[in-house]
Amino acid sequence: MQNLERLSAELKEYLVERPDIVVTNHFNPDGDAVGSATALCGVLMQLGLKVKMIMPNDYAANLKWMTLSEEVLFYDQAEAEADTYLENAGLLIHLDYNNPARSGPMELAIRHSKAKKLMIDHHQQPDDFCDWTYSDTSMSSTCEMVWHFLEAMGWTELLSKDLAEALYTGIATDTGNFRFSSTSPLTHRVAAQLLEKGVENQKVASRVYDSNSISRFQLLGRTLNQMEILEDFNTTILYLDQKDLDACGFQKGDTEGFVNYGLSLENMELSAFILPRDGGHKLSFRSKTSFDVNQFARTYFEGGGHKNAAGGKSDRNMEDTIAYLKDCLKSHQEELKSYASIV
Ligand code: 5GP
Ligand code: MN
């Protein structure tokens, strides 16, 4: 990890060579990933640099209003073209992920790239694969970090209202609208400066949250109807199987945030949400206070993330995934019970 001042000085020196830049983010890009990529890309374009955004796969429709959205190349839809950009790049920027594996189908292309690499990320345990690593796990979001990065580079003046709205979106979505404990005084200061750039927060919120599809509502109904409450573990298990997804006409992004419903239930410390993915299952974990879901996901589900928000995967079928999860919880029962009692 490097100090931001030194990192920005070195980077400025390298940018004098005007390298071709590729901005990337993680598989299934969320608001923070898309917001940070589009905002940073917009600033680099204003500097007259050649920059391309390549994301591993498509993202939810409620983020498509963001400026520069139409400029994105999706790796899983245009692999050959994307590989050419990655091969020719002089600088790769990795936003909102800290390990090439999190970029899904782009992993090998990233590992093989000879470009210089810059990471800006707030997840735990960053991999050491970049020339410049700006990693800070105390940060609310990568979008907040991009603001600090722009400040260090002396580029905040280049952030237009549209680009500021992209950053604001990532901060708002990653903090659960300034609710999670990762929201610091500094987060609010950055948000305030973005508002001063003209961000229309009500418009951003409306575009992100007031665009529910009927399929999302139907899926939410099913999720809540079939949830399992493990009172002895202060844990809620939510899931949707393939039959549920097919019956409701699942579209990408429909289940975003469902995992949080499990935590809004009285006394719950842990919520898990399970969804079919790639022949196996994807799990999302959220904890309310001190239960470390990053560690839990790493230990049992080949995953990771943050202390209070993490994800992982399982190769088992749904029934066995739930049984395995319950088994894993057994060795954490005391922690889960004691955390809930201190809220
Ligand atoms: P979500 O549950 O919303 O997919 O992810 C919650 C957090 O955990 C996000 O910050 C995400 O980047 C991270 N995360 C989700 N799945 C994985 C995974 O399989 N591996 C790792 N390392 N992090 C993950
Ligand atoms: Mn993030």
Side-chain angles (χ1 to χ4, degrees):
M1 205 179 311
Q2 283 133 336
N3 143 324
L4 189 52
E5 230 167 83
R6 199 179 84 213
L7 179 154
S8 53
E10 288 179 12
L11 198 66
K12 266 185 211 159
E13 214 176 295
Y14 182 54
L15 288 177
V16 172
E17 296 176 25
R18 309 194 73 71
D20 286 1
I21 302 172
V22 172
V23 174
T24 68
N25 52 26
H26 58 78
F27 192 69
N28 285 334
D30 59 3
D32 193 28
V34 179
S36 56
T38 50
L40 183 55
C41 182
V43 169
L44 295 170
M45 281 173 166
Q46 291 206 47
L47 287 160
L49 293 162
K50 228 169 111 189
V51 48
K52 188 75 195 164
M53 268 183 285
I54 304 181
M55 302 190 188
N57 61 340
D58 202 357
Y59 55 87
N62 67 339
L63 300 172
K64 289 273 161 88
W65 56 270
M66 270 189 230
T67 185
L68 298 177
S69 280
E70 63 288 352
E71 304 281 329
V72 178
L73 197 62
F74 296 108
Y75 191 87
D76 65 344
Q77 295 170 21
E79 195 172 323
E81 190 186 354
D83 275 339
T84 307
Y85 276 108
L86 288 163
E87 272 159 32
N88 295 333
L91 177 64
L92 294 191
I93 303 181
H94 308 277
L95 297 174
D96 205 35
Y97 70 108
N98 61 16
N99 181 327
R102 290 283 296 137
S103 68
M106 292 170 66
E107 177 178 359
L108 285 184
I110 287 172
R111 287 197 192 277
H112 293 153
S113 164
K114 295 192 172 56
K116 294 259 191 200
K117 298 183 182 72
L118 163 68
M119 179 207 299
I120 303 180
D121 178 69
H122 66 137
H123 292 90
Q124 306 269 347
Q125 287 131 305
D127 228 38
D128 186 15
F129 72 104
C130 289
D131 299 270
W132 297 290
T133 298
Y134 173 31
S135 161
D136 187 343
T137 58
S138 73
M139 284 282 163
S140 69
S141 53
T142 299
C143 281
E144 180 180 340
M145 296 177 76
V146 166
W147 172 270
H148 299 307
F149 172 75
L150 296 178
E151 267 189 331
M153 296 296 279
W155 290 345
T156 52
E157 285 308 308
L158 300 174
L159 202 72
S160 62
K161 174 192 167 190
D162 285 351
L163 300 175
E165 285 189 342
L167 284 188
Y168 188 90
T169 301
I171 297 176
T173 52
D174 254 32
T175 58
N177 293 315
F178 304 93
R179 235 163 24 104
F180 302 151
S181 59
S182 57
T183 311
S184 69
L186 194 54
T187 313
H188 282 287
R189 283 194 192 100
V190 173
Q193 291 178 90
L194 294 173
L195 290 171
E196 282 161 8
K197 292 261 180 203
V199 167
E200 294 178 67
N201 58 326
Q202 192 276 333
K203 189 187 80 183
V204 170
S206 183
R207 284 179 168 171
V208 174
Y209 298 108
D210 301 337
S211 55
N212 284 311
S213 59
I214 294 170
S215 53
R216 175 173 162 89
F217 264 37
Q218 290 178 340
L219 287 163
L220 179 60
R222 283 185 183 233
T223 306
L224 298 179
N225 261 323
Q226 60 200 20
M227 73 184 168
E228 268 198 65
I229 300 164
L230 310 181
E231 285 192 47
D232 290 343
F233 293 84
N234 294 322
T235 295
T236 312
I237 301 179
L238 307 159
Y239 62 92
L240 287 169
D241 62 23
Q242 195 58 50
K243 278 200 308 294
D244 296 317
L245 300 184
D246 294 343
C248 300
F250 169 80
Q251 296 157 35
K252 202 169 190 62
D254 271 351
T255 59
E256 200 66 46
F258 281 13
V259 62
N260 295 310
Y261 282 92
L263 274 196
S264 67
L265 209 61
E266 231 179 354
N267 287 333
M268 291 298 138
E269 170 62 14
L270 173 65
S271 174
F273 177 57
I274 313 170
L275 204 59
R277 165 92 46 89
D278 302 334
H281 288 90
K282 172 185 163 53
L283 293 96
S284 284
F285 299 105
R286 299 291 185 271
S287 64
K288 204 180 283 167
T289 63
S290 333
F291 188 72
D292 187 342
V293 287
N294 166 52
Q295 213 43 59
F296 188 76
R298 264 171 210 274
T299 308
Y300 303 110
F301 294 96
E302 296 172 60
H306 311 279
K307 187 173 159 210
N308 296 117
K313 61 178 182 183
S314 153
D315 296 331
R316 297 169 161 86
N317 66 28
M318 181 65 88
E319 203 184 331
D320 293 348
T321 300
I322 294 176
Y324 173 65
L325 170 61
K326 287 179 179 170
D327 226 36
C328 299
L329 290 174
K330 282 185 189 149
S331 31
H332 299 278
Q333 186 168 17
E334 273 185 32
E335 294 164 69
L336 288 163
K337 289 301 277 186
S338 63
Y339 290 148
S341 64
I342 56 173
V343 180

